[in-house]
């Protein structure tokens, strides 16, 4: 089998497509994560009275607690979305490229 140079791999159409897709997914998920996180931080910084409101009379739970837990849970969900995408799409494309170059 002929040896393929790094330059040939980098110039391969499928490899470029793989990089483009990976960057698009990673950028999208990163932006969503940052919006969620810094949105929560901004809420803490600029609207503490809202977060410190009690969920209901006679309880100690404030509005901020479920929002904080939701922020953490959404991070896990975003991680799960990336893992699902990587296992179903990314790995398939990597395998296709490896078969193409003989790796």
């Amino acid at each position: 089998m002929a040896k393929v140079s790094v330059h040939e791999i980098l110039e391969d159409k499928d490899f470029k497509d793989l990089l483009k897709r990976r960057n698009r997914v990673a950028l999208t998920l990163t932006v969503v994560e940052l919006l969620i996180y810094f949105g929560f931080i901004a809420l803490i910084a600029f609207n503490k009275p809202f977060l410190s409101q009690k969920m209901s009379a006679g309880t100690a739970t404030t509005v901020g607690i479920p929002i904080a837990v939701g922020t953490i849970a959404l991070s896990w969900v975003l991680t799960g979305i990336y893992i699902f995408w990587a296992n179903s799409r990314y790995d398939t494309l990597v395998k296709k490229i490896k078969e193409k170059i003989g790796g």
Side-chain angles (χ1 to χ4, degrees):
M1 185 168 283
K3 227 176 177 180
V4 179
S5 70
V6 172
H7 181 71
E8 289 173 315
I9 295 171
L10 292 175
E11 293 300 320
D12 185 71
K13 182 183 174 229
D14 290 336
F15 185 75
K16 286 182 176 181
D17 185 51
L18 173 70
L19 287 180
K20 191 182 300 180
R21 287 180 185 203
R22 189 199 60 187
N23 288 340
R24 189 177 331 133
V25 169
L27 183 64
T28 302
L29 293 175
T30 300
V31 168
V32 170
E33 176 63 34
L34 289 175
L35 285 174
I36 292 168
Y37 179 75
F38 285 110
F40 180 63
I41 297 299
L43 201 56
I44 292 170
F46 299 113
N47 202 354
K48 269 186 194 166
F50 170 72
L51 292 175
S52 63
Q53 291 176 358
K54 302 279 185 197
M55 294 288 288
S56 63
T59 63
T61 305
T62 63
V63 172
I65 291 174
I67 293 174
V69 171
T71 300
I72 294 168
L74 284 173
S75 297
W76 293 343
V77 169
L78 293 175
T79 302
I81 289 170
Y82 181 79
I83 290 170
F84 176 77
W85 176 83
N87 287 338
S88 63
R89 306 279 173 104
Y90 184 79
D91 289 349
T92 305
L93 292 172
V94 168
K95 184 178 177 184
K96 179 182 169 186
I97 292 169
K98 280 184 174 181
E99 288 172 355
K100 186 176 178 181
I101 64 171

